[in-house]
Structures are given as structure tokens and as C-alpha cells.
Amino acid sequence: METTTDYMTAGGVRVVRSATPVDSGRKTDELDALVAAVGTRRGGVLSSGMEYPGRYSRWHMAYIDPCLEVVARGRHLAVHALNDRGTVLLPAITAALAAAGEPAEVPGGVEVFVPSSDEVFAEEDRSRRPTVFTALRAIGDLFAGDDPHLGLYGAFGYDLAFQFEPIRMNIERPADQRDLVLHLADEMIVVDRKRETSARLSYDFEVGGVSTRGMPRRTETTPPAQARELPPGPTPGAYAEVVREAKEKFVRGDLFEVVPGHVMYGPVDSPAAFFERLRVTNPAPYEFFFNLGEGEYLVGASPEMFVRVTGDRVETCPISGTIKRGGDPLEDADNIRTLLNSAKDESELTMCTDVDRNDKSRVCVPGSVKVIGRRQIEMYSRLIHTVDHIEGRLRPGYDALDAFLTHMWAVTVTGAPKTWAMQFIEDHEQTPRRWYGGAVGCIGFDGSMNTGLTLRTAQIRDGIAAVRAGATLLYDSDPDEEERETYLKARALIEALSPSAAAAGAAGAREHAGDGLKVLLVDHQDSFVNTLADYFRQQGADVTTLRFGFPDKMLDEIRPDLVVLSPGPGRPADFDTASLLDSVYARDVPVFGVCLGLQGMVEHAGGELALLPEPSHGKPGRVEVGGGHLFDGLPGAFTAARYHSLHTTPDRVGGEFEVTAALGDVVMAIEDPVRRRWAVQFHPESILTATGETGHRIIANVLEMCRAPRR
């Protein structure tokens, strides 16, 4: 049911908001349609793909055809009406901007120049120096009210900081560079995934007796981009050389840390499709897609909150400390341990947090600035980060813009001390940062603010995506390692630019080794048999599991291509494995034994078993490969799971078996390729054998050998 809210803003603009629930069955379709539309019309999509208690929740919002556009170039701030609805608001906007300077009419809008001031400002009032934010604050005051969604959405460029921190400019800025683009969205869809609610919010405005009610919302369409050649990418080794130069600054004490970047390029087929791929392949707290007009798009999946303000509460989540994701959860755990034990990474984050606390202390209530989360782990598609969570309470007289400006820009993208670090960046980067290192998000007219740092972001123009990535450098940085980190950070975006990478990954997938094969799995009252069966099914095999003691005739009914003897408690004699092996061998069926299965095959071949000095249950073991084919495609040593008290040694195996893997003098694998009999003492289905998909590879090898002619 539609609900209507009618209120007057602090500046005298009448607002009528209509909220219409979006049917859950249509929600996805409507959002997809908006994402596609942002590909050709001004608009934006903001979402969070992560759920983290107390920090992030999953939500999604999208809009097209905003009525107003706010653009800053240097100290000039212009407000353009994008349709007749925006024109209705221009008189009120013009009057409001008088608080920042002398408004002047420009085609389709109004512009104000905010000159710098010779007045000396105390550092506590740094954020109140005359800048384009003076004009933004005036617009916010005009629309101030209690609506939680009405506001300005868009992007804040890196160069805005130089209105507060003048530095010596060395990089030429292009004529088309804009430092800020914000939209007044007057219709949007908002989805709260946590509450499973969604609504279409539509706004009408009335100024001086003139209302937008009934006026069309449509704005101009962006023409298709003309593709151009890719610019050259980074020169290998050049970034490492910048690291070496930074280390000299650290020695002299000019810098504590610094975060220079460099740019990589790639073709993009469709900004909208790229955004959707990125959301799937690299979920992040701040996912965004903006059509900024003039043929320019921003697409990103940023892991880092910049500034979030709710009421008087200010939050930030600086990220520093990075390591790559492992191939599986076990490798992830090892890498997390390495990251948390890294003194360098801890120092990085400590400096970032100390600078962040300093930024807040300028505008926050004494004693309210607190670290509420320290070196917490956040995991992304390619990377693992350590993150601190910091909060403070604004002092009376300060607002969300003060909180935003006092942090400009985050030490995690500049360095410390900030001004000296930004000068180093200006002196050593080859191109202007434009949007990178700035922020994206919303200035809420209810006094709130929610922004993410512009990281893991592609700036798109003419079919080319520019992806900038950097690393946090300290005195103990390794130049080559830091350069590698920048490529790792950019890789998730570069690979998502076109569908070819996904297609290549699918094309490279291994065929199922078990397709068309029937497997009989004998269950020896084991706790892991179903997982073992699942591993065979993942390879395409048709698996039947029977509890031990079944009649021999079932071997003839099932006619398996492979019999698998499961692990289990006790000894092989407890399950009469000898009789089963007699029946299986008589039918010349290949056999694979796991743990108890290996022990039964050893005893049947005349070998001997003994007890370990201490049982090894749920423990990792380093298996050394000595030959055979069970371990084709695997390294010469790997970690595997041990669940056994019984074992055999190489001199006690018996029969025609060759020992092909061991752990010290404990046999870990045996093979008889002529008779097609193989066995392992460890558990391939355990998570401790999952690194590099070792267990899956072994099962695939068994099935491939089962299918192959006798060796």
C-alpha cells in the first residue's frame, strides 16, 4: 500500500514523498532494469554485499534520471537542472548558494565560485574554511529534514583535499577532470536485505508555489562510447623503484608510511554488465556503479568505509595489512595466521588508526574516540585484510560534513604525515588520481553521511577502464613484494572487465574422471563414509554404499567398476575384510582402500600391522611421495589427515604392493598397478587434505586409473 509523507524542509522547500512497496517477485527484475538503465542514463547504484554484525548489513539501492546534478571543478561549484523538475528547484538553490559566494546563471543552472580566504583558521575549524563544501553545506541546509533517503549521491574526487592542504602540483590535470559529481535523486528503489523489505520512493518538490507533481522524470541518454586503443600499462619494476625512493624518506623521518599507486588498463564491454560481474565475483561493503554523464562511469567494489555518520556518531574502518586468499579454508587459516603474526602489517594498521583517531579528535567529544575493533579479519575474493573499527561522537556545533572533511583523505590511501605523503604521491605518480582515493556515497539531508573510499574502482571512458592500485609502504617494505601486491589488488577488477575470463575458467575445468563408472563403497561403520562417497560423486561416478557383510551376489548385481573399502574403527578382522577381498579379487574388480581399507589389503597380502606409539586422530601429517600414479599432478609432499592407531612399515607390506608414499617409517600409500589395487593410510576426504584439492585429485586419479588399461 502506498504511503505519503508531506513536510517542509528547513529552507522552505515543500517535499511530498510517496513510498510504494515493491513486490518481492518483481524486486530483482526492477533492480536489474535500473542497473541496465544506468548504463545509458545518469544515475547510480549503491549496494553492500557483506554482512558483518555491528559494521555492515546487506542493502541495495538504485536510481536513474536525477533532477539535479552538482559538479565541482576546482573552486567552482555548479548545479545543473537535468529536467524540468530540476528547473523548479533552481530558484531556491540559487538563493541558498548566496551563503557561499555570488551565484551566477549558467546554461541550465547556476554556478558559484568559492574563493580561498586569507583568514587564519584554528585547526578545530579546518573544515569550515571556504571551499566548495561551503556551497554543499548551503544546499544541505536548504533541504534539511528527517527523510532518511533524500540526499546527494555520487563521487568525491581526490583533488578536493587540496582546498584544505595546498601542495606543489606537478602532474598536469586534464581539462575534463571534475572533482565532484553528486545527484539529487528524486526517485529510487531501496532494498533492505536484512529486513527483506523493498520500496520505490518518489519525491515531488514545491518552490514558490510551483510544484514538480506530474512532470516527467526522464533525462538525456548517454550515447554509446567510441572504443579507443588501450594506453600503456605500468613498466615492470617502476613501482618497486618508487618503493626504494620512499624508503629513503623513511630513513630521514620525512614519512612514516606512504601509499603511492599506479594504473592498469583494460577494455570493458558494458559498464552495467561489468558491475554485475564484479558484485558476484568480488562482494564488498561498498559496491557502486555511477553514470556521471559526459561519457564517464565509476564502477567499484570497495572494501573500506571512509566516514559514516549517524546522529552524532562518527565511524571509520581503516584497512591496512593484506595477504592473498588461499586455495581453500585451510590455506586461508594459515594465511590469516601469517598476517596476524606480521609485525610490518601490524605497524601499518597501527599508524593508520593513530592518524584516524587524531582526525576524529579535532571534531569529537573529548574521550569519545575509541577503537571498538582491533585487527579484525575481513575476507574478499582475492585478499584478506586486517581492519580496525573506530568511533567518536561529534562535539556540538559540528556536523557530518565536518566529520567527512576532517578525515580527508584517509591515511590508508595517502600515508603519514598526510601532507608530506600527498606531496610524495604528487611527485611520484604519473597521472592524476581523479576519483581514486576519494570517496563515493551519500550526503543525507537528515544530517547523516555514508561513504566508502574509492578503492578497487574502475574509471571508465570510451570503453577503457583505468584501475589504480597501491600499497602501504613502510621502511621495512620489500619493493618487489609491494609491487606484486598492487597487481593482486587490481586483478579482481581487471578479470571482471569482460566475460572472457569467466569463460576461460569454465573452459579450463577438468573433465569428470568418474563419468560412466559405477563405484561400490563398503562402509565399515565409519564416520566419514558419506563424505568419501560425495568425493566420488563429484567426479561423476555413480556410487552405491553398502554396509559390510552384504552377500557376494550383490557384487554381480551391481557390477561395479571399482570397489572402495572405507575407513573404520577396530581391525580389518572385525569386518572380515579378507573374505570380501577374496570375492572382489576373484571377479578382477579394481579396489581402492582408505585407512582401514589399506590395513585390510596389507593383511590379505600377508603383511603385518602394528600399533603406533601414540594414536593419530584428526592430526595433520606431512606425506612424502615416493612414486606411483596415485599422486599424479600433486607436489612431492603434501599435508593429509591421519585417523589411525594401526599402521604398517615398508618392510611389512607383503604381496606385490609398492610403497608410494610414507610419513617417516609409516606407510601412507601402496599401489599394485598390474592388479589395479591402490590404498592410502590417510583420509583424502578430510578438510586437512583439502589444500590444493589434494583429496579430490587423488580420487580423480583412482578413477582415471580404474578406467585406463592395465599398466
Side-chain angles (χ1 to χ4, degrees), residues 152-387:
L152 297 173
Y153 295 82
F156 305 82
Y158 178 79
D159 281 7
L160 289 169
F162 303 142
Q163 298 190 27
F164 300 92
E165 297 286 358
I167 68 166
R168 183 182 65 259
M169 308 296 281
N170 290 321
I171 305 171
E172 183 180 354
R173 267 60 180 177
D176 65 352
Q177 176 170 310
R178 296 174 291 174
D179 298 324
L180 177 149
V181 177
L182 299 174
H183 296 147
L184 176 53
D186 55 356
E187 185 170 75
M188 66 188 75
I189 288 181
V190 178
V191 178
D192 185 329
R193 296 178 180 173
K194 190 171 185 178
R195 298 179 180 176
E196 297 185 351
T197 61
S198 58
R200 178 184 296 276
L201 306 179
S202 301
Y203 295 87
D204 278 301
F205 308 102
E206 183 179 311
V207 174
V210 181
S211 173
T212 61
R213 185 179 298 275
M215 289 184 176
R217 300 179 184 272
R218 184 84 181 202
T219 62
E220 67 179 15
T221 299
T222 304
Q226 298 297 315
R228 57 185 173 91
E229 292 186 5
L230 286 177
T235 301
Y239 190 88
E241 186 57 37
V242 172
V243 179
R244 295 183 183 95
E245 293 188 34
K247 287 165 78 75
E248 297 175 6
K249 299 284 188 181
F250 300 140
V251 171
R252 289 198 295 268
D254 295 346
L255 296 172
F256 307 143
E257 63 180 359
V258 69
V259 193
H262 57 170
V263 186
M264 288 145 266
Y265 300 93
V268 59
D269 55 339
S270 158
F274 169 42
F275 171 69
E276 293 288 29
R277 285 193 297 270
L278 193 60
R279 288 184 61 224
V280 172
T281 60
N282 192 42
Y286 289 90
E287 303 161 347
F288 55 90
F289 171 32
F290 287 108
N291 182 336
L292 301 178
E294 300 185 10
E296 186 174 24
Y297 301 84
L298 276 185
V299 179
S302 175
E304 185 166 348
M305 179 193 299
F306 178 49
V307 173
R308 184 168 66 193
V309 180
T310 308
D312 67 347
R313 186 188 188 212
V314 184
E315 295 174 84
T316 53
C317 291
I319 291 177
S320 201
T322 301
I323 198 167
K324 68 178 182 179
R325 287 291 301 267
D328 54 56
L330 275 79
E331 282 190 358
D332 280 343
D334 288 340
N335 290 354
I336 289 170
R337 189 178 300 111
T338 299
L339 179 59
L340 290 176
N341 288 331
S342 167
K344 171 187 175 292
D345 288 295
E346 183 174 7
S347 295
E348 284 184 18
L349 188 55
T350 296
M351 283 192 269
C352 292
T353 294
D354 278 344
V355 174
D356 186 282
R357 292 168 60 238
N358 177 74
D359 292 338
K360 286 184 177 59
S361 295
R362 185 187 281 119
V363 296
C364 285
V365 172
S368 70
V369 178
K370 301 181 184 301
V371 178
I372 59 176
R374 173 62 173 163
R375 298 200 79 199
Q376 296 179 316
I377 293 295
E378 288 187 1
M379 302 178 70
Y380 296 90
S381 63
R382 304 299 175 87
L383 300 170
I384 303 170
H385 293 303
T386 45
V387 183

Side-chain angles (χ1 to χ4, degrees), residues 58-72:
R58 290 167 60 84
W59 56 273
H60 196 105
M61 70 83 64
Y63 67 90
I64 55 170
D65 299 327
C67 62
L68 288 177
E69 175 185 71
V70 182
V71 176

